Amino acid sequence: MDLLANIGQADQLTSAREENRVLKAKCKELAVRVHELNAENQALKAEVEIYRAESYSGGVTGSNKLSGNGGAAERESNGALLGDDAKDGADDFVTSGNGLYPSDPAVTLPKIHGNANPLCCSVNPDDSLLATGGADSSLNLCRWGLALAPGAESSTKAVEESIRIPCRAPVICTAFAQVHQGRSYPVVAAGCMDGSVLLAYCGLDLDSKDGKDRILKPEVHNVGNGVNENGIQHSKYVKTICWSPSSPILASASADGTVQLTRVGGEDEFLNVDGKISGKVTMEVVQSMHFDGPVEAMCFLNDGDTLCCYVRGTCYLSYFDLKDGCKQTKCSLNGGSAGTGCFDEHVSFAILSLRPSPNGKYIAAATDVSRNIIMEAGTERIVRNLYGHENDGFSNPKIAWSRSGQYLYGNSQDENCICVWDIASSQIVKRLKEENGGHSGNVRDIYSSSKTDTLASVAFDKTAKVWLRDM
């Protein structure tokens, strides 16, 4: 009887294993089918958005100019898209790019934040310094060019010689101040998960390697609303930061629904007579704006005179004229102009990254529905829709323009790669993958230089990479 029982149990085990094998195979088939259906669903959503825009604009996307006053004036500006303005905009992307863009992973910086993952990156105005923010609550300043020196250990040495600046929480975003009136402005900002924005001196004229020595704090008389004794402070984590290209004004946006514009003191404040960092700097809040939802993305336009913001749950981009009391103009992402009676308030996606083109005429928007959008700045005109990657509401889509303005870089959540789109054809012309020197983990952030063909990226493989044009 025991023998028969053992045989029966063995048969049941064999049968269960076979059923398990069949179920696994079926699961794989279903997973492939789900992926296909997701792709089809995203394509259908894109078609719906196109039809929606056409239905509200008579076949072309509306144009709500920054100078528009609403009503008849806006309808008149929409009609202008059929004239010279539309022709000029279309001509910018008629021909494909010349094939010159960064694709060579010239530098790989291993464990740039030790055993923690890097979360963000940026490059200073002369492209010599790479800033990375990490989950280890630090901001790292690295002279990445040292890694180009001969020798297998040059990359490791570059990481070891980098300056680590301690922050109070993981660093979500970072940005260097721009050059103002021909003068360098050696300040880097780091937006953190606790709502703080740290400012640090990033000049290379200091012998000290201690990152704490570089931290800049506000003058006592500046402490107040929006600025505490440690610096700029929001009540929730910082979503994004950006510097004005024409003045030392830092814009910081938070999950608490606020945008704060802070003027940071002049260059002569950073160093004292002994050539050491003074540690104190003027931080003056010049404007605060409050919204009903988290401010996910923003960028400066018109040489710093305009700030463009996207607030989660809205169907439009908000343009603020900083020369006219922050006057707001809404440009729909669906077509139809605010104030004309045909403003479509349907919300089908969120914008998580905004980047102006090198010439300032266009804005690239990365969404959470596997769609990157090229829009004419200050209008509702969609110039291109870019597909072929995958990003959903749980992803962290990032984008960057090439220096020529003919290519767009973006990450994809289902691949550890950077996609390169030719904007004219709306096609992906290259995927910078692990097999050609790319990242082995999910790409978290990318940054492209506006002056040279240099692209920086960080990923969840604990590395930072600098891509140069393949010679």
Side-chain angles (χ1 to χ4, degrees):
M1 293 297 294
D2 291 340
L3 179 60
L4 293 175
N6 290 338
I7 293 175
Q9 291 175 357
D11 288 343
Q12 289 178 358
L13 181 60
T14 302
S15 177
R17 286 175 175 171
E18 181 62 23
E19 289 179 6
N20 187 47
R21 186 187 66 79
V22 173
L23 288 172
K24 284 184 176 180
K26 189 64 176 177
C27 285
K28 288 182 179 180
E29 292 179 9
L30 291 174
V32 172
R33 182 55 181 158
V34 166
H35 186 79
E36 293 173 350
L37 290 173
N38 281 336
E40 293 176 8
N41 185 46
Q42 296 301 332
L44 289 172
K45 284 183 178 180
E47 290 185 24
V48 169
E49 295 303 323
I50 293 172
Y51 294 146
R52 184 183 299 277
E54 290 178 350
S55 68
Y56 278 93
S57 59
V60 294
T61 306
S63 174
N64 183 9
K65 298 294 183 182
L66 287 176
S67 59
N69 297 315
E74 288 177 319
R75 286 190 290 273
E76 183 178 350
S77 67
N78 290 345
L81 286 176
L82 301 176
D84 293 338
D85 290 345
K87 182 178 183 297
D88 292 343
D91 286 346
D92 287 336
F93 301 116
V94 167
T95 58
S96 293
N98 57 12
L100 302 177
Y101 54 83
S103 61
D104 174 30
V107 170
T108 297
L109 301 170
K111 291 191 173 182
I112 189 72
H113 285 269
N115 291 322
N117 278 311
L119 304 178
C120 57
C121 64
S122 64
V123 178
N124 71 336
D126 67 6
D127 295 345
S128 65
L129 199 60
L130 171 68
T132 60
D136 60 345
S137 301
S138 73
L139 178 68
N140 197 309
L141 303 179
C142 179
R143 289 189 291 168
W144 61 270
L146 297 175
L148 295 173
E153 302 300 321
S154 59
S155 294
T156 302
K157 185 178 180 180
V159 173
E160 291 174 349
E161 292 189 7
S162 62
I163 300 170
R164 193 174 301 274
I165 301 172
C167 301
R168 291 187 292 156
V171 180
I172 300 174
C173 48
T174 182
F176 285 94
Q178 304 301 303
V179 175
H180 304 299
Q181 298 178 345
R183 297 179 62 190
S184 63
Y185 204 75
V187 179
V188 61
C192 302
M193 195 168 288
D194 66 345
S196 65
V197 179
L198 177 138
L199 296 178
Y201 180 78
C202 60
L204 299 179
D205 51 351
L206 292 178
D207 295 330
S208 175
K209 296 294 184 180
D210 190 346
K212 292 181 181 179
D213 294 339
R214 293 177 173 265
I215 297 176
L216 300 172
K217 294 187 178 182
E219 296 284 358
V220 176
H221 64 270
N222 291 137
V223 175
N225 186 31
V227 175
N228 62 22
E229 64 276 7
N230 294 309
I232 301 169
Q233 184 67 52
H234 293 270
S235 62
K236 291 185 179 180
Y237 63 94
V238 179
K239 286 280 191 176
T240 182
I241 55 177
C242 59
W243 290 88
S244 167
S246 60
S247 60
I249 291 179
L250 175 68
S252 55
S254 168
D256 64 8
T258 64
V259 170
Q260 183 169 301
L261 302 181
T262 306
R263 186 184 301 277
V264 181
E267 183 181 9
D268 54 350
E269 291 189 48
F270 301 145
L271 303 180
N272 58 29
V273 293
D274 297 325
K276 297 182 179 180
I277 294 178
S278 63
K280 296 288 185 179
V281 67
T282 301
M283 297 183 195
E284 178 189 2
V285 178
V286 295
Q287 188 62 255
S288 294
M289 293 179 281
H290 305 267
F291 303 91
D292 291 334
V295 182
E296 297 286 354
M298 65 180 177
C299 64
F300 279 100
L301 296 166
N302 298 339
D303 200 29
D305 290 344
T306 302
L307 182 67
C308 177
C309 302
Y310 174 78
V311 180
R312 181 174 285 275
T314 63
C315 61
Y316 51 83
L317 293 178
S318 293
Y319 292 86
F320 296 93
D321 187 348
L322 304 183
K323 296 293 186 181
D324 190 13
C326 286
K327 178 182 177 182
Q328 181 181 12
T329 302
K330 298 177 181 178
C331 290
S332 174
L333 296 164
N334 296 327
S337 299
T340 63
C342 60
F343 191 70
D344 183 3
E345 296 184 354
H346 174 70
V347 178
S348 60
F349 58 83
I351 291 175
L352 301 180
S353 182
L354 284 172
R355 290 291 183 269
S357 64
N359 62 12
K361 293 173 62 176
Y362 304 95
I363 289 182
T367 75
D368 60 355
V369 292
S370 304
R371 174 190 177 195
N372 292 333
I373 306 170
I374 307 294
M375 298 186 69
E376 187 177 356
T379 78
E380 293 159 349
R381 178 169 175 260
I382 295 176
V383 179
R384 293 289 189 277
N385 286 298
L386 306 179
Y387 303 100
H389 62 307
E390 185 170 333
N391 280 312
D392 61 22
F394 298 99
S395 63
N396 187 57
K398 296 293 182 180
I399 48 174
W401 291 83
S402 68
R403 182 170 65 98
S404 66
Q406 295 297 312
Y407 297 95
L408 192 76
Y409 314 108
N411 58 353
S412 180
Q413 73 177 46
D414 63 337
E415 298 177 273
N416 302 326
C417 74
I418 299 172
C419 301
V420 184
W421 281 271
D422 173 70
I423 298 177
S425 65
S426 302
Q427 298 297 313
I428 294 178
V429 294
K430 193 156 189 174
R431 295 178 189 267
L432 307 179
K433 293 184 174 183
E434 182 180 4
E435 49 261 38
N436 52 27
H439 291 284
S440 60
N442 187 258
V443 177
R444 173 71 187 194
D445 196 13
I446 52 179
Y447 182 91
S448 178
S449 169
S450 60
K451 297 180 179 179
T452 64
D453 290 317
T454 302
L455 178 70
S457 60
V458 292
F460 282 172
D461 57 4
K462 298 181 174 60
T463 69
K465 289 183 180 289
V466 178
W467 306 76
L468 302 178
R469 204 174 78 189
D470 191 358
M471 304 302 291

